[in-house]
Amino acid sequence: MAKKLRRVALAVGVVAVAGALGYTALVEYGLHKSYPQTVQIEEGAGLKDQIKRGEYVARLSDCTACHTKEGGQPFAGGYKLDTPFGAILSSNITSDKDTGIGGWTQEQFDRAVRHGIGSHGNLYAAMPYNAYAKLTDQDLTDLWAYIRTIPAVNNKVVENQLPFPFNQRWTLAGWNLLFFKDQVFQPNAQVSPEINRGAYLVEGPGHCASCHTAKNLLGGDSSAYLQGGSLQGWYAPDLTPNPHTGLGHWSNEDIVSYLRSGANSKTASSGPMTEAVENSTQYMSDSDLHAIAQYLHSLPASQTTVPAAIDSQQNAMLVGKKVYESQCSACHVSNGSGIRNMIPTLAGNAQVNSADPSSLINVVLNGSQGPFTHANPTAAGMPAFAWKLSDSNIADAMTYIRNSWGNAATPVTEAQVKSAREGTKAQAWMGAAKE
Ligand code: HEC
Ligand code: HEC
Ligand code: HEC
């Protein structure tokens, strides 16, 4: 605990100093700087097409994910994002003049979406402007043409719910100084137009790095680009061509099918990725999905060392095998092969081999309903085991699947499952009361 407090204190100190330094330079500069609009909203017949293109950019960018609260009106905001420092609510971006952005100009919209300065000053990076900065002028303008058409909803949101000192927006100038690259996408002349398109989609509108890249202490991206990142009880795995923990064994079609339907012959999405598939990637065009696959395959593979598989005669492995055979093998099959296109294969599964087992534990505790997409309307479900199995049985089953059939990964401990059970507010184990 003491260690954790120190780490947080350090973060505050650095933010405050960097923030103070950057304050005059950046906030003042940002608020008064003009962002010339090189592309204008179309008039007449062209506008209809432009709005359609803008709707597609909004899909690519998944604006709905954060700006629509569950059960709330589209884009009316109020969706809560928990950060390690406290909660931030998303803004109302409907065309309501009082509580939304109905009175805004295109330049104000640009300032917020690509440059991170909203109606109250600097925006928190929970709004992924650091990715949207890469949007082209054309895409940004098309997006604005579409966003302007969203029906007005009167809904007042107080975005900033953070405690002092994190509620001080001026400190974000320091964050920007350290981590924000305010620059539109720069194509790489060395690679094909298709790979450039994929890079644009992943780095810009798709903001894949906001989950798939590990963060440093201050919430900035680490240099391990797309090599896996953890978020609120989930782990977004390595997307580089690493053969053990990444997409090294995935074909282009595997990636395309996963992003379009949330499933392929190897695995099925869950948690935050299911939301990304349902709201965003399933709407991507075939050529855009192929461009993403090409680009991910062109990345340098992460350099993780593969651990030796744990001896099958160790106690955790023996107990884990028993749990697996009695609870899991009816669906995932004794040899971990799963059932093609219905039940994920656990053997050789990159997610199962990941150093961070958070997503696996989460899925076993709470179950998972695969995504409902146009391509896959009847996804199979994984039942929840939180009520049925103890922390130690789940840990051993995890250790077993992570070290069988060619898999190799660190063991999962009882303490990890216990903390995931608390962190994800999973059901209690039915045997707990009797212990
Ligand atoms: C991952 C979550 C997330 C996504 C995705 C997201 N936003 Fe946001 N957005 C937020 C949050 C949170 C805020 C409030 C941040 C703050 O107040 O500092 C915000 C603020 C804004 C604001 C500023 C409003 C104001 O009054 O200052 C605009 C405009 C905006 N978003 C537009 C968009 C658009 C357009 C998209 C899609 C291209 C988008 N957002 C995608 C989370 C998100
Ligand atoms: C909101 C966070 C989030 C965003 C944004 C996101 N992902 Fe994911 N992604 C995840 C999580 C969490 C998982 C693990 C899901 C699981 O356990 O089934 C995942 C899994 C995946 C997988 C499966 C990997 C495997 O080995 O099973 C692929 C491929 C993937 N994401 C690609 C992408 C791409 C491409 C983008 C951007 C267009 C993206 N993701 C954006 C959170 C995210
Ligand atoms: C009734 C069939 C069924 C049973 C029993 C079952 N699973 Fe699953 N499992 C599934 C399905 C279906 C999915 C895919 C869920 C999704 O789409 O999110 C899944 C997903 C998973 C995943 C995530 C795989 C990935 O690629 O992200 C893991 C890990 C897993 N199961 C482990 C287990 C373990 C361990 C047990 C036993 C304790 C078990 N399962 C029992 C059907 C089952």
Side-chain angles (χ1 to χ4, degrees), residues 178-370:
L178 292 168
F179 306 116
F180 180 39
K181 195 163 165 217
D182 192 350
Q183 190 183 44
V184 78
F185 179 75
Q186 305 292 312
N188 173 354
Q190 311 297 317
V191 302
S192 68
E194 194 181 22
I195 291 182
N196 270 314
R197 174 71 184 164
Y200 174 68
L201 293 166
V202 167
E203 294 173 14
H207 65 281
C208 315
S210 64
C211 297
H212 286 274
T213 298
K215 302 290 169 273
N216 59 33
L217 267 181
L218 298 179
D221 279 358
S222 71
S223 60
Y225 176 63
L226 296 182
Q227 295 180 16
S230 56
L231 54 146
Q232 297 159 33
W234 293 94
Y235 179 69
D238 190 349
L239 298 182
T240 74
N242 181 309
H244 191 65
T245 55
L247 304 180
H249 293 304
W250 289 39
S251 65
N252 283 347
E253 277 314 316
D254 287 335
I255 297 179
V256 169
S257 156
Y258 181 90
L259 295 174
R260 183 189 296 127
S261 69
N264 57 25
S265 61
K266 301 172 185 313
T267 184
S269 70
S270 28
M273 192 60 207
T274 290
E275 288 174 33
V277 171
E278 284 180 345
N279 293 325
S280 174
T281 62
Q282 72 159 320
Y283 295 96
M284 292 181 181
S285 69
D286 208 51
S287 63
D288 276 351
L289 290 172
H290 278 93
I292 290 181
Q294 291 267 358
Y295 167 66
L296 293 176
H297 278 146
S298 77
L299 292 170
S302 66
Q303 301 290 320
T304 44
T305 29
V306 180
I310 297 169
D311 184 350
S312 64
Q313 294 310 307
Q314 274 205 14
N315 194 44
M317 291 289 284
L318 293 169
V319 176
K321 185 173 177 34
K322 275 195 196 143
V323 176
Y324 183 82
E325 292 294 345
S326 67
Q327 306 294 328
C328 323
S329 65
C331 291
H332 291 284
V333 185
S334 286
N335 65 4
S337 68
I339 300 168
R340 200 177 160 82
N341 293 330
M342 260 186 79
I343 311 278
T345 309
L346 301 178
N349 182 318
Q351 174 77 281
V352 174
N353 281 307
S354 292
D356 183 331
S358 307
S359 295
L360 312 176
I361 302 176
N362 201 330
V363 166
V364 173
L365 282 171
N366 301 304
S368 171
Q369 185 62 60

Side-chain angles (χ1 to χ4, degrees), residues 57-58 61-67 75 79 81 88-93 99-101 104 108-109 112-113 117-128 132 135 143 147 159-160 169 172 205 207 210:
V57 177
S61 316
D62 205 357
C63 311
T64 338
C66 299
H67 285 279
F75 298 102
Y79 176 90
L81 286 109
I88 300 169
L89 302 190
S90 66
S91 314
N92 178 346
I93 58 167
T99 60
I101 61 173
W104 281 24
Q108 280 173 297
F109 180 71
V113 175
I117 301 159
S119 43
H120 313 287
N122 281 4
L123 293 174
Y124 288 91
M127 158 73 190
Y132 299 150
L135 286 173
L143 179 64
I147 294 284
E159 288 98 336
N160 193 347
R169 285 185 184 271
L172 299 167
H207 65 281
S210 64

